[in-house]
Structures are given as C-alpha cells and as structure tokens.
Amino acid sequence: MKTQAVRQELDQARANGPLRQIQIPPCPELLQRLRAAMSLPQPDLNEVARIAAADVAMSATLLRVANSPLHLVAGHVPCTTVGQAMYRLGLDESAALMQAFLVRHAIPVNSPHLLRFWQRSAKRATAMGFIARQLPGMRVDLAQSYGLFCHVGMPVLLQSVRGYGATMVEAAARIDRPYIKTENVNHRTDHAVVGALVIKVWHLAPELMTAIRLHHDFEALTDGSIEPEVRTLIAAGLIAEQLMRQHEGLDADVDWAVHREAAMAWLHLSADELEQWDEALRPLLDEA
C-alpha cells in the first residue's frame, strides 16, 4: 500500500466508515511553530529557543536532560538557562525532546491499559534516532517521529471508542491471531490506521503516515511497490522494538522471530552490527 493509497483509505474511512467517530486532538500550536522553524534550510534557532521558553514545564524538561549524567561531563557546571541546555544537547536533540513533550501533553494517557505509554514511546524515539545515525541517508528527525508516534492510535482509540480498553486486554491475551486483527473484529479499525490518521490530520510527513499505517504489515519489507523510506522506517522500527525488549530483559516477540531476517536484509545489517548497536544504545535508553 503506497502513500497515495493510504491517504485514500483514510479519507474514505473518515467520510463514511469506522473513522467517523474518532476524535483527533488538534496539533499543538507550539508544535506547528517548531516544525516550521526546523523545516527551514537553516533552522531558526531564535524561534526554537522562544518555543522552548514558552512552556515552563518544557523548559524544565530540557534542563533536566541537559544536566543528566549522560550529558553533564565531569568538570562542567550545570545548565541554568534554556539556551545553555539547548547548546549542550544540540538543536536536533532539543527539538526531539520538545516534540515528545508537546505530543505527550496533546494526547494525555490516563489509563491502566497504557501504563508507561509515553515513556516507552520516548525510548522508542531514542532508539530510532540512534539507528538512523548508523544508517547513511536515513533522516534522524523522521526516525524519531516514527518512534514517538508509532502506537499513538491506541490512546486516541481509548478516548474515542467505547469498549476499546477491553479490546486491548483481549488482543494482548490472544495467541491465535495478531493484535490488530482483534481490534478490527471488535471495532472495524485498528491503532495502525488511527495512528496514520493522526499524522495526516496534523500534516506531518507523508512517509511517516504510510509507515505507521503499515507498521504491523511486515510483508511491506519485501514489497518493491512501497517507497524505500517507508520500508526503512518499518525495518528500523522492528529492530528498535527488539533492542528495547533486550534492554528491558524481555524475550523477543513473534514479529521479531518471523520478520527479523527481512528487516536486517533490507537494512544490510549483520548480527555482529546488531550486537554492537545493542551495547551502544543501552546507556541512551537508561536516560530516556
């Protein structure tokens, strides 16, 4: 399913299908400003700094991360201003942290069914950013956004669809069919479709929309009709999930067991390289 087909599917489902009842929160104004500032050939540093300073809690997040053991080198004094924090973190990491903060507050999660949802999303974004830096030509910002938004359809469904919490329990417990199959049986849609709709409504990158729509359709990894950037996001996402599970001491899931070879082949990744990534990523996930 290529990007144009995904867009048409979403439009049809929104107009007269199961997505009519889904309520998508508006994209935060500060996130729109941040995207505009970062999309310029030379990002507007002053505007990014103004956005960072516009929310006290977001400023505090930047300062906390900049002063964490991962960034506070021995002999350096702690940052006391947002400008100092952004200088230490770098523009890209600062923007990624700001995006995560703004999205988390735009789509709050207050449910026992999604414990640690945004914490795990932030870790996935960190893992995706790390992977993108290892792969020539992969956009770090796009990879981080994929990690952050990958499962965003879940809290949106939880807020919009009656009975979705029970569906999550059932889908997680069943071993006879995939998670999204249970979602579709019960609600005629799933979190991959709804997540793609969020990306479309918020006018984020079309490659991101398609990759999130297909993030459980791993046949895409060997489908030459799908855009290469989309396939790279899906492959990297599968690897990021496995690296997170290893970091958390969890066993590999079924998706990894079945599709690891296709993902690693698409990214030209060896088992030795994956082991090196695991070792290098662990301290980053400890701080995320």
Side-chain angles (χ1 to χ4, degrees):
M1 182 180 292
K2 298 182 71 173
T3 295
Q4 185 58 34
V6 170
R7 189 176 287 110
Q8 291 173 351
E9 175 197 38
L10 295 175
D11 287 343
Q12 291 171 1
R14 193 70 162 149
N16 50 26
L19 296 186
R20 283 179 298 176
Q21 63 181 317
I22 303 298
Q23 298 177 354
I24 306 297
C27 182
E29 180 187 355
L30 288 178
L31 182 57
Q32 295 179 44
R33 285 174 55 188
L34 179 63
R35 289 178 51 228
M38 293 296 295
S39 67
L40 299 172
Q42 292 293 328
D44 188 337
L45 305 182
N46 291 328
E47 170 68 353
V48 175
R50 284 192 293 270
I51 296 166
D55 188 295
V56 174
M58 184 160 59
S59 300
T61 298
L62 291 171
L63 285 164
R64 176 181 55 80
V65 175
N67 289 326
S68 68
L70 188 66
H71 293 95
L72 187 57
V73 180
H76 284 191
V77 297
C79 297
T80 58
T81 68
V82 172
Q84 291 171 350
M86 291 178 62
Y87 181 80
R88 178 172 292 171
L89 294 170
L91 181 61
D92 290 340
E93 184 171 354
S94 296
L97 286 167
M98 291 163 65
Q99 175 178 247
F101 176 91
L102 292 166
V103 173
R104 185 171 71 247
H105 286 79
I107 306 176
V109 176
N110 298 303
S111 167
H113 301 298
L114 288 174
L115 293 174
R116 300 174 57 240
F117 178 83
W118 285 119
Q119 183 182 353
R120 293 201 84 252
S121 296
K123 287 182 180 293
R124 190 182 302 106
T126 295
M128 286 293 294
F130 171 86
I131 291 171
R133 293 184 181 94
Q134 317 309 311
L135 298 175
M138 187 174 187
R139 289 170 48 194
V140 174
D141 63 328
L142 192 63
Q144 290 171 326
S145 293
Y146 177 90
L148 184 65
F149 283 97
C150 189
H151 297 304
V152 75
M154 289 181 176
V156 173
L157 277 163
L158 201 55
Q159 292 171 7
S160 298
V161 177
R162 189 172 184 175
Y164 182 70
T167 294
M168 295 182 76
V169 175
E170 178 189 353
R174 296 190 71 139
I175 59 173
D176 59 326
R177 64 189 185 195
Y179 195 102
I180 60 173
K181 176 67 174 177
T182 298
E183 290 178 313
N184 275 285
V185 167
N186 292 358
H187 305 293
R188 294 174 52 232
T189 192
D190 58 63
H191 73 273
V193 174
V194 174
L197 179 63
V198 173
I199 302 305
K200 182 177 183 294
V201 170
W202 284 19
H203 301 292
L204 302 182
E207 303 92 342
L208 182 62
M209 175 189 71
T210 305
I212 288 177
R213 169 63 183 88
L214 300 177
H215 78 270
H216 281 292
D217 294 344
F218 293 105
E219 306 305 323
L221 294 171
T222 54
D223 186 345
S225 71
I226 295 173
E227 294 89 339
E229 196 165 20
V230 171
R231 294 165 70 185
T232 297
L233 286 170
I234 295 170
L238 182 62
I239 289 169
E241 198 69 34
Q242 170 61 10
L243 293 175
M244 287 173 61
R245 293 182 72 85
Q246 290 179 186
H247 178 259
E248 295 169 355
L250 301 175
D251 293 333
D253 61 14
V254 173
D255 288 338
W256 178 250
V258 175
H259 302 290
R260 59 178 294 177
E261 290 186 9
M264 293 175 69
W266 175 252
L267 298 179
H268 304 290
L269 179 65
S270 70
D272 287 343
E273 288 173 313
L274 184 60
E275 190 173 334
Q276 293 169 9
W277 286 9
D278 178 38
E279 185 175 345
L281 180 61
R282 283 178 180 272
L284 302 179
L285 291 178
D286 286 340
E287 292 291 332

